[in-house]
Amino acid sequence: MKIKLTLDEKYREMVEDIRSVNNPNCSYYMDNYTEKIEALTRSWFDSADIYEYQVKVIERIHSADEVQFIEYNYKWRLKSDKFRKRYIGIDILGGVLFFKQPEAANNIKKSEFKKLLEGTGLPFEAFEGVDIDD
């Protein structure tokens, strides 16, 4: 039976790291990708013994026949807390707006957001994508 995984683009670096070795050292990955592995563990397994299932997550990623990455929509905001209006929105003419409340911001894919910033002088590195539920 073939194992095919579909994961958010944010897991790409971790997945490529895990799949690049013959025998993954689970403790290394749990130390270096703690939040990402815990998030996948909670979404794939319903168990109180999270450590045992984190190992299974790493093994599943390592043994997968195919891994497909998809872009999800995020709300984008300025990384600095010094700005009161830091969440990004788009007006009907395609202009960039800043909002104080995250619920007022638009959900945008990373590639779409980078394209939106072109020609604005705003560096992509000044922003961060936050999960829609944040």
Side-chain angles (χ1 to χ4, degrees), residues 73-78 84-91 95-109 113 116 127-134:
N73 291 324
Y74 295 99
K75 295 198 185 266
W76 294 88
R77 67 180 176 202
L78 285 162
R84 279 182 259 152
K85 294 182 177 183
R86 48 184 262 192
Y87 289 89
I88 305 301
I90 305 168
D91 68 15
V96 178
L97 304 171
F98 290 88
F99 296 103
K100 188 174 184 177
Q101 294 82 12
E103 55 275 356
N106 295 88
N107 296 322
I108 309 169
K109 288 180 170 69
F113 185 63
L116 178 69
F127 297 89
E128 61 187 348
V130 291
D131 287 331
I132 294 168
D133 294 333
D134 276 356

Side-chain angles (χ1 to χ4, degrees), residues 26-74:
C26 293
S27 61
Y28 166 81
Y29 295 109
M30 284 187 272
D31 290 344
N32 291 293
Y33 299 106
T34 304
E35 290 179 17
K36 291 179 180 181
I37 290 174
E38 285 180 3
L40 286 175
T41 303
R42 286 187 181 87
S43 67
W44 290 355
F45 300 102
D46 183 26
S47 174
D49 189 2
I50 198 164
Y51 178 80
E52 176 187 341
Y53 285 92
Q54 286 177 330
V55 170
K56 290 183 182 200
V57 166
I58 294 167
E59 289 171 349
R60 184 179 289 180
I61 290 169
H62 186 264
S63 63
D65 296 302
E66 181 183 348
V67 180
Q68 178 183 5
F69 297 98
I70 55 175
E71 271 191 292
Y72 281 106
N73 291 324
Y74 295 99

